[in-house]
Amino acid sequence: MAILLYVTITLACTVYVHAQSKYCCTPQQWESVNMLIDGRDTAGNATKPLLTQGYEQVSVDGVNHKIASLSTLTTSSGFNITVQVIQLYDKGIMYTVEDGECKHSALPAWTPRCVPDDAKLLTKYSLGQGSVHVDVDVYSVTVGPNTVFLNIASADCTPIYQTAYGSAAGVSALSMKTYSNFTLGIKDPIVFNVPSICNNATYLQKLPHLHPLH
Ligand SMILES: *[C@@H]1O[C@H](CO)[C@@H](O)[C@H](O)[C@H]1NC(C)=O
Ligand SMILES: *[C@@H]1O[C@H](CO)[C@@H](O)[C@H](O)[C@H]1NC(C)=O
Ligand SMILES: *[C@@H]1O[C@H](CO)[C@@H](O)[C@H](O)[C@H]1NC(C)=O
Ligand SMILES: *[C@@H]1O[C@H](CO)[C@@H](O)[C@H](O)[C@H]1NC(C)=O
């Protein structure tokens, strides 16, 4: 179970960037349904990497400094995993509910979700064509031992796609996230309610992560 927890935690975390962005910042409040694919070499010499795929429903509230996500994932080793993560930045606490257990860990102060200043603008491309096309900027960002490629809509900084690769705790991983059904605002703030099971949350040491914006 340790590996599964690790996988899902890395997918759910964020990186912290400065408020005055050199590039752009995502809209203040938004929700999306993200498709996740994560492959990692768990044995070092495994013939096939462990594949985890599924969906993540995410709500980002930059006004009240909260992020919630609910991920439903399946691994190639035959596990189904549901993970709920609630990050309450003004309280400095993050709850992770997995497998009927709630864990809590500490969070630093909120910072706006922006393309980090140390990112490099690599290239630009366009999706679709004619009047329905979307112009996309591709940035690379180094996050500890990991490299992340952020694909962001040029017009309004909407996240489109992220790829991350790197390693943590001796495990190498490649991880992809496609943002879909992006909407502005928070439809129902109930997503930020802390489940009662978390009254007795145990402490979880924060683990390294791969994805920078969310
Ligand atoms: C990986 O290599 C080690 C040492 O050579 C071996 O003992 C182990 O069985 C291998 N694991 C797999 C999954 O092949
Ligand atoms: C995982 O979920 C899939 C699709 O819902 C289901 O077919 C499969 O039996 C589940 N596997 C386990 C181990 O529960
Ligand atoms: C995403 O949006 C499409 C089109 O509106 C809709 O059919 C689909 O059910 C939505 N998917 C999710 C997972 O919300
Ligand atoms: C929560 O912890 C308290 C104190 O350790 C204990 O009395 C209580 O039974 C626990 N509740 C649950 C739901 O586990």
Side-chain angles (χ1 to χ4, degrees):
M1 213 51 200
I3 290 291
L4 295 185
L5 186 64
Y6 167 70
V7 166
T8 54
I9 293 297
T10 58
L11 292 171
C13 287
T14 53
V15 82
Y16 315 103
V17 293
H18 300 292
Q20 292 304 316
S21 182
K22 186 167 127 187
Y23 299 110
C24 68
C25 299
T26 63
Q28 280 243 300
Q29 292 180 313
W30 54 274
E31 296 182 305
S32 65
V33 182
N34 305 329
M35 194 180 85
L36 309 171
I37 301 179
D38 179 291
R40 55 190 63 209
D41 183 1
T42 50
N45 54 358
T47 48
K48 269 189 179 177
L50 177 75
L51 187 71
T52 302
Q53 55 186 326
Y55 289 89
E56 169 196 62
Q57 285 172 275
V58 63
S59 304
V60 177
D61 185 344
V63 175
N64 300 299
H65 306 161
K66 296 175 181 179
I67 297 181
S69 68
L70 182 64
S71 308
T72 309
L73 305 164
T74 302
T75 70
S76 55
S77 54
F79 289 100
N80 289 333
I81 318 160
T82 302
V83 191
Q84 182 182 14
V85 178
I86 296 173
Q87 294 174 294
L88 306 174
Y89 281 83
D90 289 351
K91 291 187 174 164
I93 191 162
M94 160 172 152
Y95 295 99
T96 306
V97 182
E98 182 183 7
D99 225 9
E101 243 191 291
C102 183
K103 307 220 159 148
H104 69 88
S105 40
L107 282 179
W110 171 268
T111 51
R113 309 287 114 171
C114 306
V115 175
D117 284 353
D118 59 0
K120 265 190 245 150
L121 178 58
L122 290 185
T123 186
K124 291 169 174 279
Y125 65 92
S126 163
L127 286 174
Q129 59 91 31
S131 61
V132 293
H133 81 278
V134 178
D135 291 323
V136 181
D137 293 339
V138 184
Y139 298 91
S140 76
V141 192
T142 304
V143 185
N146 304 318
T147 303
V148 182
F149 297 101
L150 302 175
N151 292 239
I152 306 279
S154 313
D156 60 4
C157 212
T158 302
I160 307 267
Y161 180 69
Q162 283 186 42
T163 319
Y165 75 91
S167 66
V171 176
S172 29
L174 173 66
S175 166
M176 284 160 275
K177 185 185 286 209
T178 305
Y179 294 80
S180 71
N181 292 23
F182 194 96
T183 52
L184 291 178
I186 302 292
K187 282 188 280 298
D188 190 347
I190 199 169
V191 293
F192 301 114
N193 287 3
V194 177
S196 55
I197 189 184
C198 292
N199 292 340
N200 272 9
T202 53
Y203 182 71
L204 172 72
Q205 199 186 340
K206 207 158 185 304
L207 292 161
H209 50 76
L210 292 173
H211 282 296
L213 282 180
H214 170 75

